[in-house]
Amino acid sequence: MAIVQWKATSTGAAAEQQAKAYLIDNGLRFIEQNYKANVGEIDLIFKDAQQWVFVEVKYRESDSHGFAAEMFSQSKRSKFVRAIMCYLQAHELNCHHTPMRIDLIAIDDKTLNWIKNV
C-alpha cells in the first residue's frame, strides 16, 4: 500500500487523471480509460508485466461522509467484476487463464492511497 500527497481537484475526471499518472510513474503500462459495458464501468486498465490490472478510482474531498476506500462497496465491486468479464470477453481473453487483479486508488482530500488486489 502506497500513500502519497496529492494535489486537490474538484472532479472525478481529474482524480482519474492523477491516478493514471501515478500508476504510470510506478511502472504500470496504460491500456484504456473509462471502459463502459452495460453492466458497469472500469475507470482505468493497465498491465503490470503480464498481469492485467483493473482500477477503480474513488475520490472524497473530506471524510465527513466516509473515506474514499469505503465507497467501493460490495455492490459496486460486483458491477465492476461484471464489467471486467465483459472486457475480457470483448478482447477474447479467457477469465480462467488471464492473470489479473483489481486495484483501488482511494483519494481522500490530498492523499492518494493505492490498494493492490482488493
Side-chain angles (χ1 to χ4, degrees):
M1 180 182 337
I3 299 175
V4 296
Q5 286 301 88
W6 182 75
K7 297 177 206 163
T9 63
S10 60
T11 67
E16 286 180 11
Q17 287 305 111
Q18 288 292 102
K20 178 181 170 183
Y22 179 80
L23 293 172
I24 290 169
D25 288 348
N26 279 276
L28 276 66
R29 184 168 54 95
F30 175 72
I31 303 296
E32 190 169 340
Q33 186 167 353
N34 296 323
Y35 173 80
K36 289 177 179 45
N38 289 337
V39 295
E41 179 180 328
I42 303 168
D43 292 332
L44 301 168
I45 302 170
F46 286 88
K47 291 227 27 206
D48 186 1
Q50 296 304 310
Q51 185 175 51
W52 289 86
V53 181
F54 299 96
V55 181
E56 175 69 7
V57 179
K58 290 295 186 186
Y59 171 76
R60 301 296 277 180
E61 189 171 340
S62 78
D63 62 6
S64 62
H65 292 88
F67 294 100
E70 297 170 333
M71 301 303 114
F72 193 48
S73 65
Q74 184 58 41
S75 79
K76 174 61 181 168
R77 181 180 165 77
S78 294
K79 287 181 183 179
F80 195 75
V81 169
R82 287 195 299 273
I84 291 170
M85 293 302 127
C86 290
Y87 180 87
L88 294 173
Q89 184 177 27
H91 291 84
E92 298 181 359
L93 297 166
N94 183 311
C95 66
H96 300 291
H97 301 292
T98 301
M100 66 181 127
R101 72 175 193 251
I102 297 172
D103 287 2
L104 174 65
I105 296 286
I107 303 169
D108 292 292
D109 188 28
K110 297 179 183 181
T111 302
L112 185 151
N113 189 4
W114 179 15
I115 306 167
K116 296 181 182 179
N117 208 27
V118 293

